[in-house]
Amino acid sequence: MSDNVVPLHKDTTPVASAVTRLTVVPDPAAPVPTPIERPVPLWVRSGRAVHRAVTHENTRTAARAVARHSLYVWGGARIMRRRAWDGRTAARYERYMRAAEAAGNMELAAEWEERGQRFREARHRRRMDLLTSPIDAARGLAAGAGMSVGGLVALGVVMAVATKDAGDVFTPLMATVEFINLLITIVSVVWGPLISIGPFLALLALWSVGRHQQAAPAWALPPNARSAEGEAITPSIVVKALRDLGVPALARAIKEMGDAGASMLGPIRIAGCGVEVDVTLPSGVSTNEIQQRRRKLAENLTRHEHEVFITIPEAARTVRLWIADSGALDEPIGPSPLVTDDTLTADYAKGRAPWGQDLRGDAAALSVYQRHLLITGLSNQGKTAALRALALWLALDRSVEFWLGDLKGVGDWAMFDGLATRLIQGPTDEHVIQVTEMVEDAVEEMNRRLQAPPGTEFPPLIVVVDEAQVAFMCPVKDADKRPYGGSSSTSRYFMAARKIHNQGRAVNVLLWQGTQDPTDQNLPKLVREGAHTRASLALGTESQARMALGDKAVDGGAAPNLLRPGLDKGTLVVASDGIAVPKGQSSITVRTHYISTDDAKVIANRAKALRDGVTTLTVIERGADRDPLADILTVMGDASRVRTKDVLTRLAALNSDAYGDWSFLDLTRVLDGTGAEPYKSDGKMTISRERLARALADRAADDSASADE
């Protein structure tokens, strides 16, 4: 054996026992041969060309077009055959009857059965009439021919008398014969070409029917037809979407119904920028099976997920579908009436705040009367704007007083300076302490009102805390080791909020909170469930949606977690008895009006013009020696005179420890002998700012003179 040939493996199988496999070990010293370029076989090049041609987009488009138009003819023939069969038989009534039975509507099934029976009886009468129709037709033809000939001869006699020519007697008859001969000639000429092109006309008619009904597979349809962007919602489209939803029981029921699956549907109604339809589900299909497949249903309806809303109406085993026009929800709604109507006012007890529009396009107005409020959502979704819009509307009722804490502190509520009695702005722990003490003061005011004589009416006090999660998460403790944040029985903010939720509405002390990204830590269960009106912007998960709105609303179809962060800014899902919610539903989706900061300042100025002047406190002072005269001048602000009742309220807001228990007698006692005693103006006891300022100036002058002596 050569030195370069080495045995590698010897096959010992019976078939090849004598065959030895060899491998050649190249000699390192041997020159490396130059590789020979072999020409690519023709069949390989042809195959590549065919592959490129087949996969080219133009080729595929052309192939789809040929298949599509060919299948239009087949689909049109199938549709015409079904129509002919339905017209001659009772199949249509049978399908409707089976559909009603599958839907559990036995009354409707009996009605369709009766209609089918009437159809069969009428068809039987028509068939029996066909047995005697040839004889009746012959008799009618003979009688008609005789009358026609007689009439033509009579006409000829009249013509002969008129022309005095006996030959005119047969002129009308001969003219009729010649006309008939002409018709026979025309038919004989046209009949041949008509027979030739007749099949093509029939195919064209079938193609037209198939094209109109889009009777071709989805892969063969053009891209615009497959996407169906903006396609109108029809019963057949809804039924097909439900059939292909992936619910076996629903698909089987619709299959048994045939084309009459539309009997599950109620009327398709125009509802704002979309349509609404109620779907009665067949036996064995639950409503939550439909709700859990919202995305697939939307895609089957050629819509995006956010353009289909599924709710549960009052009727049993029914889902209500609201389907938006494509792209309609991306269009902004109009400006707020607060911006466009300078004469708009508010009424706390009987009015409703113009908050936005529902999905139907109707105005969504919210009543805030004796209702605690909670608005939550992810960051930068429009929470503050939605909360501020309600406060701006209510500020147009001059009887309403605001205590406001903004734990963000970037100026979103700055326009309430001069409108709110208290305004605390800032994100620090010190600001949390101030806000907590403000809410605790509201509890004391609530207790004072609760102990008032029965029948006493109290002006509304709205305590607004924006970014309340900052207060719940604050780790600071007071001198008694009680935490300001948290959710324990010793947590100061938590307990104050709970007390207002428990009894505040009875005496018009209300707590409005705005929070962000809710969890059990930054929004405790007892606090979120104490709100009468709960609204949520876009959230991340279903569990957060349940925290924000409650289990009942989410089980009924509320899904703020399916709103698109950033794209659905200002869109709220609201659960409240203060807003008109469709019957049978537990929530409503509202697209709120956006009020810019500049517009908010204009509205706030209108609200300030309705008031005598409000001194806004930005710091709650406690534990310091008070100067009653100076404090009275401070709370009067720039007003020339203020009623004593308002002065007492403002003093209590300034420092509840010092002035919370003051009465009119205490106020009179302090002012006696100063020259600024209360006096009657328009029948009401008031205090003059000018007199009080003069009294303080005189006191300062006397103190200075005493010091000089």
Side-chain angles (χ1 to χ4, degrees), residues 200-382:
F200 296 100
L201 294 177
L203 291 175
L204 181 61
L206 295 177
W207 174 86
S208 178
V209 172
R211 179 176 177 273
H212 180 72
Q213 298 291 335
Q214 294 289 306
W219 59 265
L221 295 176
N224 58 345
R226 291 198 302 273
S227 63
E229 196 71 25
E231 183 179 7
I233 299 299
T234 63
S236 61
I237 289 177
V238 177
V239 170
K240 290 178 182 177
L242 294 169
R243 182 194 64 195
D244 299 336
L245 201 54
V247 181
L250 181 59
R252 285 195 302 269
I254 294 176
K255 184 177 181 181
E256 293 174 1
M257 297 176 194
D259 290 342
S263 62
M264 298 188 305
L265 309 182
I268 297 180
R269 305 175 295 272
I270 296 177
C273 57
V275 296
E276 186 177 76
V277 59
D278 287 350
V279 181
T280 302
L281 301 175
S283 178
V285 182
S286 62
T287 54
N288 66 334
E289 290 182 284
I290 308 300
Q291 286 182 301
Q292 293 170 359
R293 293 169 171 82
R294 176 184 174 187
R295 174 176 293 181
K296 189 171 185 179
L297 178 61
E299 292 173 350
N300 290 348
L301 292 168
T302 64
R303 295 294 191 272
H304 297 292
E305 184 179 11
H306 71 277
E307 294 175 331
V308 174
F309 288 81
I310 306 172
T311 54
I312 309 299
E314 190 175 24
R317 212 173 66 214
T318 302
V319 293
R320 177 167 294 162
L321 307 180
W322 186 84
I323 308 162
D325 299 335
S326 292
L329 294 184
D330 297 328
E331 298 292 331
I333 64 173
S336 170
L338 293 172
V339 176
T340 59
D341 187 358
D342 294 340
T343 63
L344 188 67
T345 58
D347 187 335
Y348 163 74
K350 300 179 181 179
R352 289 178 177 266
W355 212 7
Q357 294 180 359
D358 62 16
L359 296 178
R360 291 171 168 267
D362 299 330
L366 180 70
S367 171
V368 299
Y369 177 65
Q370 292 189 344
R371 290 179 176 89
H372 301 299
L373 175 68
L374 172 66
I375 300 179
T376 187
L378 298 177
S379 176
N380 195 31
Q381 299 304 309

